[in-house]
Amino acid sequence: MIIRKKFRFEGAHIVRNCSSKLCRENIHGHSYEVEVFIKSNKLDKGFMVLDFILLSKVGEFINSFDHAYSLWQGEKPEIKDAVYQINQRVAEIPVSPSAEGYALMFLYVIDKIIRNTERKNGEGDIQLQSVRVHETQTGYAEAFTEDFALVDFTLDDIKLSEGIRTEWDDMDWWEELKQQKIFKNTHLEN
Ligand SMILES: Nc1nc2c(c(=O)[nH]1)N=C([C@H](O)[C@H](O)COP(=O)(O)OP(=O)(O)OP(=O)(O)O)CN2
């Protein structure tokens, strides 16, 4: 069975080297919708694939891009400096911020988050199936597990600025993800 959880963020970017001149030469923004599809071979004690509440770190990650500038790491140094001067919330990323780039990066990170999230309600073999990123009302990109083959970066290549990190409920979670610590969910204790 499959569940889907939808997240949103308002983000700004330039997509260098794309065919569209409008898109590659102008800072512009979108109201993104991100759909996360998760599958399992069994249901937990609550007849759920995975309680949506256990996806709170996924929400924290995607929300890091909200009201943020997504800065491709291959951008020119002078542009990078200007972006950091103007913005508090900068997500410097190893993929160009096309819908496809976001989908691949989100797939990579969300897979790690799900693997590191504590579960103790009889869940089955939980697997991320895909991540779909809607850039506009009419266009989306979707990354599937076979697209892991396209990943040529690590978590260390994703740099979230202090202006982003200070808004997190738990300032340490990103470093803990890198260290593969298990996220204990306080909701499980109640
Ligand atoms: N395959 C992709 N093509 C385009 C992307 C992308 O991420 N992947 N992105 C853009 C631009 O960011 C652009 O701002 C959005 O373009 P488009 O979908 O053409 O949006 P419009 O609102 O102009 O188009 P409508 O069809 O009127 O909705 C471009 N291409």
Side-chain angles (χ1 to χ4, degrees), residues 12 64-72 79-93 158-165:
S64 298
F65 292 80
D66 186 49
H67 286 79
Y69 187 88
S70 289
L71 175 64
W72 176 45
I79 305 281
K80 281 186 171 181
D81 289 347
V83 166
Y84 277 108
Q85 270 178 32
I86 295 165
N87 299 283
Q88 290 198 330
R89 290 174 64 81
V90 179
E92 190 172 333
I93 54 177
I158 301 169
K159 298 186 172 70
L160 303 166
S161 69
E162 192 182 349
I164 291 173
R165 287 183 274 115

Side-chain angles (χ1 to χ4, degrees), residues 13 15 18 20 22-23 28-30 32 97-100 135-139 141:
H13 68 171
V15 186
C18 70
S20 153
L22 270 181
C23 179
H28 61 284
H30 299 283
Y32 290 89
S98 61
E100 290 87 336
E135 188 176 68
T136 63
Q137 290 288 315
T138 56

Side-chain angles (χ1 to χ4, degrees), residues 3 49 54 68 94 96 126 164 174 184-185:
I3 57 170
V49 166
L54 298 181
S96 189
I126 304 294
I164 291 173
W174 182 247
K184 292 196 181 296
N185 197 309

